[in-house]
């Protein structure tokens, strides 16, 4: 796994790449567009081998949580891991999947709270109209 520093790539070069995309397969074009959008948004891009694994310390750091909390997630089966002797190794792909699920769950919860607030406001408006 390695971080790719994109801070020195001029934005014009991304524009040139998009114009040259006419000769690229649709699948590769999707990859290029996703990378371009992420880089323009200031995201950090990380490349990793499909077989890359993390120690619990590395995974906890990546996920921004304590190692103790990570162990609870591992024990509950929320993140898949392999045992290497007594140690645990977490496939990097599983950490990414967990991050995506957590993002989705947070977004869904925020939307549910927003709808709840809207429903409450509508109910108050409806009750106050006859008064």
């Amino acid at each position: 796994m390695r971080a790719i520093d994109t801070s020195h790539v001029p934005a014009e070069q991304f524009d040139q790449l998009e114009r040259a995309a006419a000769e690229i397969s649709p699948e590769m074009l999707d990859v290029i567009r996703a990378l371009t959008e992420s880089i323009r948004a200031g995201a950090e891009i990380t490349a990793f081998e499909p077989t890359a694994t993390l120690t619990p310390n590395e995974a906890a750091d990546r996920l921004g949580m304590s190692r103790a909390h990570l162990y609870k997630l591992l024990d509950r089966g929320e993140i898949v891991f392999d045992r290497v002797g007594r140690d645990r190794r977490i496939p990097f792909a599983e950490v990414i999947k967990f991050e995506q699920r957590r993002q989705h769950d947070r977004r869904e919860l925020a939307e549910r709270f927003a709808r709840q607030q809207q429903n409450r406001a509508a109910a108050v408006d409806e009750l106050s109209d006859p008064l």
Side-chain angles (χ1 to χ4, degrees):
M1 172 176 56
R2 66 184 175 103
I4 301 169
D5 180 13
T6 60
S7 62
H8 303 296
V9 179
E12 305 83 47
Q13 289 184 352
F14 291 114
D15 296 334
Q16 290 172 349
L17 184 60
E18 286 176 354
R19 284 191 296 275
E23 300 173 21
I24 298 173
S25 73
E27 296 82 10
M28 188 60 179
L29 189 56
D30 287 343
V31 170
I32 291 170
R33 283 189 178 135
L35 284 170
T36 301
E37 288 172 16
S38 296
I39 291 168
R40 283 184 174 167
E44 179 181 311
I45 306 297
T46 304
F48 65 94
E49 294 182 30
T51 58
T53 60
L54 301 175
T55 65
N57 282 342
E58 293 167 335
D61 286 345
R62 166 79 189 195
L63 295 170
M65 62 179 63
S66 70
R67 197 175 72 217
H69 184 67
L70 177 73
Y71 276 112
K72 288 178 188 175
L73 295 172
L74 295 174
D75 292 340
R76 288 194 311 238
E78 293 187 39
I79 302 175
V80 175
F81 67 93
D82 299 310
R83 286 218 181 257
V84 179
R86 290 181 30 216
D87 298 327
R88 300 180 199 204
R89 292 294 176 263
I90 305 158
F92 192 76
E94 293 299 324
V95 173
I96 299 298
K97 285 179 191 176
F98 177 79
E99 283 181 316
Q100 290 171 341
R101 280 193 316 270
R102 186 171 62 171
Q103 254 182 352
H104 176 266
D105 292 348
R106 285 179 174 169
R107 195 173 21 250
E108 197 172 88
L109 183 62
E111 289 172 6
R112 196 166 58 216
F113 279 128
R115 280 193 305 273
Q116 189 178 39
Q117 284 296 97
Q118 290 171 348
N119 291 342
R120 183 175 291 134
V124 167
D125 288 345
E126 188 175 321
L127 289 173
S128 64
D129 282 344
L131 300 175

